[in-house]
Amino acid sequence: MNRHTDIIKKRYDRISSVFDVMDHMIRSSWREELLGNLHGDILEVGVGTGSNLPFYPSNVNVTGIDFSPRMLAKAYGKTDKTEADITLKEMDAQQMDFPDNTFDVVVSTCVFCSVPDPVAGFKEIRRVVKPNGKIVMLEHMRSEHPFAARILDAVNPLTVRIVGANVNRKTIENIEKAGLTVKEQNYLMTSIMRKLVLTPN
């Protein structure tokens, strides 16, 4: 783990006790729509404190990874709130320990604002998802509105320093740089919060 990644990891360890309050920006209805009809072997990248776990259906196997041990400790406390088969692992999304073509679905919710090298993270997702699999995401990113984008650019150094999250990431560009294809894109809160469905080719 490089120095930059270690710094972000420590920031998420620090805010783990209050992260559930911060995570309420993601509406339960968005989680239900994203996760309720998934099938097969699922990887959740950046499982955090486990806010998604209660929304998985009972017939799936979910492996959740996060680089923050304190966030994972909170997630373990939510495993009894789901009927899905859950495995949690401490792991860096930029360097995953899984073989190629392991998962039917990869999930992330507001994760790629904080992955230090987002393109590397997306390339790892592309590697571990099956060729006929998919990636489903809820992600916030830089606004397409010029004035709002400038505001996000201005406040970004502060949000990175406090919580390690970038509010002005050009996530669609990063996805495309990693060789993934955007199949569906729905705006949930202007162009800042979006639901995305990606494929590995």
Side-chain angles (χ1 to χ4, degrees), residues 10-19 22 71 162-163:
K10 289 177 180 177
R11 286 175 183 163
Y12 275 87
D13 277 344
R14 187 181 68 229
I15 65 171
S16 60
S17 62
V18 297
F19 189 80
M22 298 166 58
M71 299 282 273
I162 294 173
V163 298

Side-chain angles (χ1 to χ4, degrees), residues 34-35 38 41-45 56 96 102-108 112 121 124-130 133-137 196 198:
L34 190 77
L35 307 172
L38 299 182
D41 293 319
I42 297 169
L43 171 66
E44 182 172 342
V45 174
Y56 284 106
M96 292 191 248
T102 298
F103 298 99
D104 299 296
V105 183
V106 178
V107 171
S108 79
F112 279 87
E124 276 292 88
I125 285 177
R126 185 171 181 243
R127 181 182 67 79
V128 302
V129 73
K130 294 177 181 178
K134 66 179 179 178
I135 301 101
V136 297
M137 309 173 70
L196 303 172
L198 318 177

Side-chain angles (χ1 to χ4, degrees), residues 99-154:
D100 296 356
N101 308 324
T102 298
F103 298 99
D104 299 296
V105 183
V106 178
V107 171
S108 79
T109 56
C110 291
V111 169
F112 279 87
C113 57
S114 55
V115 174
D117 185 340
V119 175
F122 282 124
K123 285 182 177 178
E124 276 292 88
I125 285 177
R126 185 171 181 243
R127 181 182 67 79
V128 302
V129 73
K130 294 177 181 178
N132 61 344
K134 66 179 179 178
I135 301 101
V136 297
M137 309 173 70
L138 296 173
E139 288 292 337
H140 68 85
M141 60 196 76
R142 193 174 191 267
S143 175
E144 293 178 353
H145 189 281
F147 179 71
R150 287 195 295 272
I151 292 174
L152 294 176
D153 290 342

